[in-house]
Amino acid sequence: MKIFRNLLNSVKPHFEEGGKLQKLYPAYDAFETFLFVPDHTTKSGSHIRDSIDLKRSMMTVIIALLPALFFGMWNIGNIYYTAMGEEVEFFTKFNYGALKMLPLILVSYIVGLTVEFAFAIYRGHQVNEGYLVTGLLIPMIMPISIPLWMLAVSVIFAVVIGKEVFGGTGMNILNPALTARAFAFFAYPAHLSGDKIWISEQQTMPDGISGSTPLADYASGDLTYDSSMFMDYFNGSMIGSCSETSTFAILIGAAMLIITGIGSWRTILSVFVGGYFMGYLFNLWGANEFMNLPPHVHLVLGGFAFGAVFMATDPVTASSTNKGKIIVGFLIGVFAVLIRVFNPAYPEGMMLAILLMNVFAPLVDHYIIEANIKRRLKRAKA
Amino acid sequence: MSDKKEALFSKKNLKLIKDPLDDNNPITVQVLGICSALAITVQLKPAVVMALSTFFVMCTANVVVSLMRNMIPSRIRIIIQLVVIATLVILVDQTLKAFVYDVSKELSVFVGLIITNCIIMGRLEAFALANKPWKSFMDGFGNSLGYALPLIVVAFFRELLGAGTLFGYPVIEKLGLYELGYENNGMMILPPMALVTCGVYIWIQRMRNKKLIEEN
């Protein structure tokens, strides 16, 4: 670490006031605070001081994402070699997936951080770490075969229109990672849905290999559920976006988030409860095969668990009151299953459900706060 | 009668044309006529036809109402303005149907809805009722240009990025970008991107023109 400190100290004068590169100070500041705990002190007003700042909490989320990421890498290799009909070792699969994931992650970070740095320097504010998590989330929720330039365009759209126009990290209405996915989904539908995109290099494979996700199969009625499939879904060895498949790996991440207090257990739990509730209602209705899918299966399919743990809990876009978290989370679960079952064009409803509830979260908060004020006024008068 | 001495293209009159282009743009600053701006900007051709139709209606209506301004009883002025606009819009609609039927079909109800375009009514109310014909003409001229400018810019980007064509000419294909793996952005054809593109237009406009930025 000493080398970094010395290096930073030697270039610092250039970036401070009067220095040659004064304009680039935000970029310098970003590197310094990324490597070391900042020595800034609060100048005015009263603040709660805590050793955990934005950078530390973002790092926790990244660590919580790792199980799902590593599992996703293995799974990419697994479905590839299974489709090819080859038996290979664990690490061959993992390495294959890792090599496929790496370009996506690199493109996402390089493009996204370039945009963030450009805005920070132009506006003269600090580079925020929000993108560290977003940049990892985006490749994790994309299909592995997405062309890199499409990923780059989606990232630029998400950072500029999803975040920077509202004022940067902490001001956005919509979750940036999901904004990127929604943009790609509507802009390049052929690359984001269907049964030719989930296995890497499927174009070079012989025809007749089915590459559709279980959800799409249920929606089209090609697949009938039996209870032996549940553990496969839970473990995550199925077809889907890079890292969304394993509910088990995601729950490890969820445990980390809840224990460190960074992710809200209220949101996570109520999303699952909402999804279960809606799945149960459909069971009672039971008009077609898909509606008869047991409710707990909905929770382990597609991006439901991933969205619940890592997207719905985004502190910026989620509701900020405790009651609001429960209401918004519940509705996310309800809408996700609703969209899945009712709209065959969108076999996965989690993305749209979370984005929709992101928009309504401030409204829910508003009424909860108003109600609270009213209740306390009443109490004061009595 | 002092107005008579004023030159036809005096500074004050030219300002009537220049203002709506930037400082007081009907779409991006006053945020009027947004619905049509979002609906017909998928391609350049309908956007240009729409701009021309609005241009004709706005200039003529402004002059006509200005000529009648001393005769119109103020209590029924809105009705009279509507009759003037409606007559002109029907003229335009019939002309389009006769000569460019396919474009007319594409614009469908939006030509008829020029009647409800708040920009036209707004200019009649705010300007033509109180000014002489020549000035009213200049005002209508300026405002319809101000309406046309964002419309055409937005349509340009939406058609180019969404369909890869300009006025139906396959630009992207001729450039050979498809062979490099480029694909059209399906989102640009959807209405939400019209809103986003308009937003980006306003963003760039406000970056260049500091007068538009509010105090707080």
Side-chain angles (χ1 to χ4, degrees), chain B residues 160-171:
Chain B
L160 182 66
L161 300 175
T165 56
L166 286 177
F167 288 111
Y169 181 81
V171 184

Side-chain angles (χ1 to χ4, degrees), chain B residues 21-34:
Chain B
L21 284 182
D22 190 1
D23 287 1
N24 210 359
N25 190 290
I27 290 188
T28 61
V29 179
Q30 297 172 11
V31 200
L32 296 173
I34 280 283

Side-chain angles (χ1 to χ4, degrees), chain A residues 52-166:
Chain A
I52 190 153
D53 58 8
L54 193 59
K55 283 192 172 77
R56 278 3 98 176
S57 61
M58 289 298 175
M59 285 318 287
T60 316
V61 180
I62 292 201
I63 292 167
L65 277 169
L66 290 182
L69 178 65
F70 289 144
F71 183 88
M73 288 174 172
W74 173 80
N75 195 38
I76 292 162
N78 187 35
I79 47 184
Y80 172 73
Y81 284 113
T82 311
M84 295 288 281
E86 288 174 35
E87 276 295 321
V88 292
E89 289 174 51
F90 175 83
F91 276 105
T92 322
K93 291 174 179 173
F94 181 81
N95 289 343
Y96 178 84
L99 278 178
K100 286 282 162 191
M101 266 304 262
L102 209 58
L104 295 188
I105 297 175
L106 280 180
V107 165
S108 164
Y109 271 129
I110 292 172
V111 173
L113 286 176
T114 309
V115 178
E116 289 253 330
F117 271 76
F119 269 96
I121 289 165
Y122 181 75
R123 291 184 172 160
H125 67 58
Q126 290 180 351
V127 178
N128 285 311
E129 293 66 35
Y131 196 73
L132 284 183
V133 171
T134 311
L136 189 58
L137 281 175
I138 293 175
M140 287 174 82
I141 54 174
M142 294 284 192
I144 189 67
S145 67
I146 188 167
L148 292 178
W149 71 268
M150 284 181 191
L151 182 70
V153 172
S154 312
V155 166
I156 292 172
F157 181 84
V159 175
V160 175
I161 304 293
K163 202 158 99 173
E164 289 300 337
V165 289
F166 295 109

Side-chain angles (χ1 to χ4, degrees), chain B residues 71-88:
Chain B
M71 292 183 278
I72 301 176
S74 72
R75 282 174 65 188
I76 56 163
R77 65 182 194 283
I78 303 273
I79 303 264
I80 292 177
Q81 288 164 14
L82 268 181
V83 170
V84 171
I85 301 172
T87 315
L88 291 165

Side-chain angles (χ1 to χ4, degrees), chain A residues 119 122-123 147 149-150 153 157 160-161 164-165 182-183 186-191, chain B residues 161 180-188 190 192-193 196-197 199-200 203 207 210:
Chain A
F119 269 96
Y122 181 75
R123 291 184 172 160
W149 71 268
M150 284 181 191
V153 172
F157 181 84
V160 175
I161 304 293
E164 289 300 337
V165 289
F183 177 79
F186 288 108
Y188 310 110
H191 290 269
Chain B
L161 300 175
L180 299 176
Y182 176 83
E183 271 177 51
N184 289 327
N185 188 325
M187 183 107 169
M188 290 305 278
L190 302 175
M193 278 314 270
V196 171
T197 321
V200 172
W203 184 10
M207 244 165 61
K210 301 284 179 207

Side-chain angles (χ1 to χ4, degrees), chain B residues 44-101:
Chain B
L44 261 175
K45 201 169 157 196
V48 169
V49 173
M50 184 73 177
L52 286 175
S53 314
T54 314
F55 176 79
F56 169 75
V57 173
M58 189 148 20
C59 293
T60 323
N62 257 11
V63 172
V64 171
V65 170
S66 172
L67 284 170
M68 302 196 298
R69 69 186 186 282
N70 295 326
M71 292 183 278
I72 301 176
S74 72
R75 282 174 65 188
I76 56 163
R77 65 182 194 283
I78 303 273
I79 303 264
I80 292 177
Q81 288 164 14
L82 268 181
V83 170
V84 171
I85 301 172
T87 315
L88 291 165
V89 167
I90 289 167
L91 271 179
V92 169
D93 199 21
Q94 294 300 319
T95 316
L96 288 181
K97 271 188 187 145
F99 294 103
V100 274
Y101 185 66

Side-chain angles (χ1 to χ4, degrees), chain B residues 86-142:
Chain B
T87 315
L88 291 165
V89 167
I90 289 167
L91 271 179
V92 169
D93 199 21
Q94 294 300 319
T95 316
L96 288 181
K97 271 188 187 145
F99 294 103
V100 274
Y101 185 66
D102 50 327
V103 179
S104 152
K105 247 182 132 177
E106 235 171 288
L107 291 170
S108 66
V109 71
F110 285 98
V111 174
L113 283 178
I114 296 179
I115 303 173
T116 58
N117 192 327
C118 348
I119 305 171
I120 302 181
M121 276 296 262
R123 290 333 289 174
L124 293 182
E125 272 285 293
F127 201 90
L129 273 179
N131 284 285
K132 295 197 165 175
W134 174 247
K135 277 197 164 177
S136 300
F137 175 76
M138 296 288 263
D139 182 73
F141 190 86

